[in-house]
Amino acid sequence: MRRVVTGSAIILVCTLALGGLGWIGKLWYESRLPGTYSVLDYGTPDYGGPAAPSVVNGMSGHQGHSGGISVTDLRERRADTRPTAFTLEARHAQIRLASGKVVEALTFNGSSPGPELRVRQSELVQVTLVNEDVESGVTLHWHGVDVPNAEDGVAGVTQDAVLPGERYVYRFRAEQVGTFWYHTHQLSSKEVRRGLFGAFVIEPPQGSGRRLDLPLLAHIYDGVPTINGSDVLERRAVAQGTPARLRLVNTDNASHRFALTGTTFRVAAVDGTDLNRPALLENVSIDLPAGGRADLVFTMPSKPVRVSVDEWQVGLALSADGLASPAASVPLTTFDPATYGEPAAASFDSSSQFDRRFRLTIGKKPGFFAGRPGMQWTINGHIYPDTPVFHVDEGDLVEVTIANEGNGSHPMHLHGHHLLVMSRNGVAVSGSPWWVDTLGVGEGEEYVVGFRADNPGIWMDHCHNLRHAAQGLTMHVAYSGVTTPFEIGAEHHNRPE
Ligand SMILES: [Cu+2]
């Protein structure tokens, strides 16, 4: 009797094991990606309830060619003025940091960060990208600038990667005043980390009006923390009474805590958008998600002030004689944009009639990503490339609930649009209208955000911890009828992440 039971058990176990192996084999098989594919060939279509789609636009890149509009046609039309022109040459270079450490970097024009590009509102910006010797190819993405889709710089979606010896011209109108940055969007998890980025500032037509106006880009090269490419405490002479604007930019993969000590200050803008009636702050630190920005304004006091980041020794000291070295200090109280400033009318709010409502839930599950087993990032339970495609029509008012049920925090970045943050963990935003393009979503947090679908195209929506994005924490927002002739892979080896 016992032998019969044991025999049955063995058969049952074997059957389950074989079935399990078969199931795992199927998951592996389905996770493999072809050498070349259109991003619209994959993805789980989502039309956003409760509104029914007015047009069923589940067209893939293949089916959508007839009657659709190509991303290449979505460009700046008003080219009536003479452009403000820049050239950025991507090349390998050795960079010697202030401490003497040498970094094998990828640079624009020989430096990293690349040159600061500064223009005034409504100028026509023209940037010629030249790839001298970056073998894997390069593009330029204008982080936070809601450019026409053809200028968005995503390899395999809006253009081909620019290979060594090639060039590519970007042209767009600078409409938004604020602090932005540019970076490559080809193999960005490797190329941005190694140095292919820089500051992009759009001033009001009359200029910024600040005698000290300085972008401060925090980045880690080869494990070495830096600000504007310096790994020591930089000192600068600033006269008392000088109006100052510090444009904090986090170009790193992790979120960082910035501090300005020795003075009171205001957070004038977040992600390139001014805040309404920002209050005076003191001894408050500012957490910036990867890719995020904040502009701090203050009047230079008689005593020295200092910018610090985390526990880094690197920093910026400002004083009358330029010699002071105030100690690093990062206050424990953290700036909260959800309650800062005063409410003001925005173009819509949480009580508006939304045409589409989506959920974007970040999680993790065991499975295969590109043929490799492991714990994988998921969006709404799907592993890339089956992560959702949010389909929208031009003009839609769109609500997205972003929930982080995975581990760690995820700086979610939607291209081509700004998101109005309406609530966090069920609590309505009570301060200034809070517009973002990069929203740090902490573990267990849930945000409700909204945007107007007013910039047709195929747009990435991804985690700006670029390592996570390369591991599949990426998806797309696609407008009805928009198609792309570009493909991931292909002869330009397009790989946006
Ligand atoms: Cu992430």
Side-chain angles (χ1 to χ4, degrees), residues 138-163:
V138 181
T139 66
L140 285 174
H141 169 63
W142 310 97
H143 188 113
V145 187
D146 300 332
V147 298
N149 198 213
E151 315 298 341
D152 197 40
V154 179
V157 181
T158 64
Q159 68 172 96
D160 280 325
V162 179
L163 298 181

Side-chain angles (χ1 to χ4, degrees), residues 253 362 377 407-412 462-469 473:
N253 273 335
I362 299 162
W377 296 115
N407 48 350
S409 97
H410 300 290
M412 297 306 290
H462 67 98
C463 179
H464 225 278
N465 180 330
L466 297 171
R467 215 175 308 129
H468 292 173
L473 198 33

Side-chain angles (χ1 to χ4, degrees), residues 233 259 261-262 304-308 312-314 316-317 324-330:
L233 176 68
T261 48
V305 305
R306 172 168 175 144
V307 177
S308 309
W312 300 357
Q313 289 310 302
V314 185
L316 175 68
S325 301
S329 158
V330 177

